[in-house]
Each structure stands twice: as C-alpha cells, then as structure tokens.
Amino acid sequence: LSGGPDIIQLEYEAMPQFVAGAQKHLVDLSKYGMNDHKQEYTEGAWKSVSMGGGNSVYGVPVDLGPFVMYVRQDIFDKYHVKVPTTWEEFEQAGKDLKAAGFDGFLSDWAPNGTAVNPALFAQAGEKVYKYSSKTPDKVGIKLNTPGVQKVLEYWQNLVKEGLVDTTDSNTTDWNNNMIAGKYAAYVQASWLTGYIKGLDNSSGGNFRIYKAPVWDDSTPQVNQGGSAWAVTDQAKDTKAAASVAHDLFDSDTAQHIGVTDGGLFPSWKKQLASDTFKNMQEPFLGNQKSNEVTIPVADAWKGDEFLPFQTYAYDEQTKSFSAIVKKGDDCKETLKALETKLNNYAKQQGFTVE
C-alpha cells in the first residue's frame, strides 16, 4: 500500500481487517503512551480500539452508537397504546395498534441491516463474532445458538403476523415510510436522529427516543456503530500522527464542537458526565433531552468484537437472516449452514477457528 493518509477515521467494526495478518496497516499507539489515556473513554469504546482490552491500542475513540428505540409519539398517543419497554410489550403494542385501526406497521426489520443484528444478539447475551489483537490468528463465530435463534424467530413471527415490514433501510421506500409515519417504532443507534432529520426536518416533533426494549432485567445495554481516529503505516512520523489523533478532541471546546457540529456521540467520559451534554435539547425530537436516555446506555456498554473479514460476514449473514425472517426458512438449519460457511471461509483465510 502507498499514498494513504497519516490519520483515518474507521468504524470499530472495520478496524480488525487492518490489523490482522502479517502486514498491520494500523499503528499500535500504545508505544506512544495511548494507554495513559484509557480512563478518558468509556469501557466499550476502549475495548473496541484495543480489540479485546489488551495492551495494544489501534485507535483513538471519537464516537459511539447507543442502541435505543425511536417512537412516533403522535401515533402511540392517537391510538392510546403504551410505549413498550420489553420485547413482549413491543409485540403487544403492534397488536394493539393494529386493533385500534393503525394502518401502518409497528416497525421494520430491514433485510440489509448489518450491525443492528449483532446488537440485537448482544441483548440476548450472545457474542456472535470474536477477535482479539492478542491472538490475531484466531477468530470465533457462534451463530447457531439459543440466543440468536430466539431473536431471529421473534422477528420472523412479527413478520408472519403482519406487524413488521421488511423494507431495506435507507432506500427511497424506507425513507418515505419513516417520514410518513408508516412505522410506529424503530430500534436503532442514536445516530439515526441525524439521518431522519436530514430526510425531512418538518417531520420533527413527532419522534421521541426511549430505551430499547429488553428481554428481562438481565438484558445488557448495547451499542451499534462508532468510530475512531487511527494512524496508518503510511505516516512518515507516526509519533506526531499519534499525538494529533489524540489531541484533536483533547479539550472541552473541541469535544463540544464534535458533538454539536460534527454529529458525534461522545466516547469521552468527561463529556458524557457534563450537564451541558446531558441537558442538550433536540428540536427534532420535540425538544426532548434525549441524552438523558442515551448516556446511561453509552456508560454501560462493555464493548464488541468484530472479524477481520466483517464485510464478508455481513454479506453472508444478510442472505441467511433474510431467508429466516422474511421468507420464513427454518432458523436452526439456516444458522447452522451460515456458521459452517463462515468457519470454512475463516480457515481458508488462514485463521484458526475457536
């Protein structure tokens, strides 16, 4: 490789592919003292850039994607339906809305959804993909498990009942449905606010953010998305680049600009703890102080792991999950075949499968 920038912004899920193998294209920032800054970031963010919590650090966390539920408050209020707090209540809310005359869908399960599915699985206590920089030649892929089966069969049933749509997200149809109020609720990372607002700001005031539905009291807080500054092996002065990557947001003012102008959800614990951030009102959400919902999620998230070939895994899981949820294929058999395919691919790429 040649001609790359000194510093790049990478999503957490993309970082392992630049670290695995003989040629590591991301610089280990631990040799420049990055571990001294560990306490500045949330646990989940730090585990993402250290890929398992080891001594090596391959990025400076800059944002997160707390997993929450978007609700069309006007729809729930019109039909006098309680906003759900559990997945059992989520299904019941769909039935209640339908019985009350709502002609849309409770929600949408997007066949082209990628990271949203591991987040849903994480709620069920399943870590489907495993990878650590401490053992860069090993991967773990566990998809045919009770938790994953429970989640996919749950959404499969909602689709069968006609309560949930299956339109690909971020398409023209999906955009129109979202703005027109065809979906009463949608579970996604908190960055969705900026996306919907960009589609049609006039629909603001109807949406609100709530905690994502849980299975029970043991359901963990989860995350979907987020990114970090990383220093590439193309940098002529990696020490200087490492210093710049950290110092770009090493002040209250810079962090505030990153949040307000850059649309970042802060990975910095100091910013998350500030009254300014907590009390920010979002006009698009009816002046809701939405960070009161998202901050506890960000604080509690413990981190995720992704494969060095995550894009391939996403492509394959999209086919299999869609066959289960949208087409009604047998869950266990489809997951078994998917797991086998990904394990074989990992071995072909030279990895040992745990």
Side-chain angles (χ1 to χ4, degrees):
L1 291 176
S2 63
D6 290 8
I7 300 172
I8 57 176
Q9 187 173 7
L10 282 175
E11 291 201 19
Y12 299 134
E13 64 188 37
M15 294 181 72
Q17 71 189 62
F18 293 95
V19 173
Q23 297 184 37
K24 292 181 172 57
H25 296 297
L26 300 185
V27 175
D28 182 357
L29 305 182
S30 66
K31 59 185 176 182
Y32 300 125
M34 188 59 193
N35 276 309
D36 295 339
H37 301 288
K38 178 179 179 179
Q39 297 306 315
E40 297 172 14
Y41 306 96
T42 66
E43 180 181 350
W46 189 258
K47 283 188 176 177
S48 296
V49 296
S50 59
M51 297 184 199
N55 290 326
S56 297
V57 185
Y58 292 98
V60 180
V62 293
D63 74 331
L64 306 173
F67 203 55
V68 294
M69 177 173 62
Y70 285 79
V71 163
R72 280 291 298 250
Q73 194 67 53
D74 55 330
I75 294 173
F76 277 81
D77 289 348
K78 177 181 178 180
Y79 293 101
H80 306 291
V81 174
K82 175 181 176 286
V83 174
T85 61
T86 67
W87 286 115
E88 182 179 1
E89 291 177 358
F90 189 78
E91 179 178 4
Q92 188 60 49
K95 295 177 180 178
D96 292 344
L97 285 167
K98 192 172 184 179
F102 177 54
D103 62 358
F105 292 94
L106 166 64
S107 191
D108 180 63
W109 185 87
N112 65 341
T114 52
V116 66
N117 288 297
L120 290 168
F121 302 152
Q123 276 198 319
E126 301 287 4
K127 182 185 288 188
V128 295
Y129 300 126
K130 295 182 180 180
Y131 176 77
S132 171
S133 62
K134 292 181 288 187
T135 52
D137 59 336
K138 296 180 180 180
V139 297
I141 302 167
K142 301 294 183 184
L143 286 159
N144 192 23
T145 62
V148 173
Q149 293 164 13
K150 177 175 74 171
V151 171
L152 292 176
E153 288 175 347
Y154 173 84
W155 287 95
Q156 181 189 63
N157 183 60
L158 292 182
V159 171
K160 284 180 180 179
E161 291 184 314
L163 302 178
V164 166
D165 192 17
T166 55
T167 295
D168 282 338
S169 63
N170 310 119
T171 59
T172 300
D173 287 344
W174 186 90
N175 292 343
N176 291 337
N177 288 346
M178 184 65 73
I179 294 303
K182 251 341 211 185
Y183 305 140
Y186 198 79
V187 183
Q188 180 68 280
S190 63
W191 46 254
L192 185 65
T193 299
Y195 183 87
I196 305 175
K197 185 164 57 175
L199 293 176
D200 183 4
N201 200 23
S202 66
S203 65
N206 294 321
F207 288 94
R208 297 289 187 280
I209 284 180
Y210 288 83
K211 291 181 179 179
V214 298
W215 293 106
D216 53 42
D217 291 341
S218 68
T219 300
Q221 301 285 8
V222 301
N223 185 79
Q224 182 195 342
S227 59
W229 295 123
V231 177
T232 73
D233 61 354
Q234 302 294 293
K236 292 182 179 180
D237 189 336
T238 53
K239 183 177 181 180
S243 178
V244 170
H246 173 265
D247 293 350
L248 278 171
F249 287 113
D250 191 28
S251 72
D252 292 343
T253 299
Q255 291 177 9
H256 184 70
I257 291 173
V259 170
T260 56
D261 296 350
L264 302 177
F265 187 92
S267 58
W268 315 289
K269 291 197 288 189
K270 187 176 180 181
Q271 186 70 208
L272 290 171
S274 72
D275 289 338
T276 300
F277 183 70
K278 181 178 180 180
N279 293 321
M280 286 175 61
Q281 293 182 319
E282 173 52 65
F284 186 77
L285 300 173
N287 288 322
Q288 180 187 12
K289 293 182 180 180
S290 56
N291 292 331
E292 292 181 338
V293 178
T294 54
I295 290 171
V297 180
D299 282 336
W301 175 53
K302 301 300 183 183
D304 295 316
E305 295 174 19
F306 300 98
L307 300 173
F309 46 89
Q310 194 62 48
T311 299
Y312 176 81
Y314 278 159
D315 287 344
E316 293 304 319
Q317 75 169 38
T318 293
K319 300 172 190 175
S320 298
F321 297 169
S322 296
I324 294 168
V325 176
K326 187 175 181 179
K327 298 180 182 179
D329 286 5
D330 181 80
C331 187
K332 292 182 181 180
E333 290 302 314
T334 305
L335 287 174
K336 180 180 179 181
L338 172 62
E339 188 174 289
T340 298
K341 187 168 189 176
L342 292 181
N343 282 336
N344 288 338
Y345 182 83
K347 294 173 185 176
Q348 291 168 6
Q349 300 303 307
F351 294 100
T352 299
V353 179
E354 295 180 313

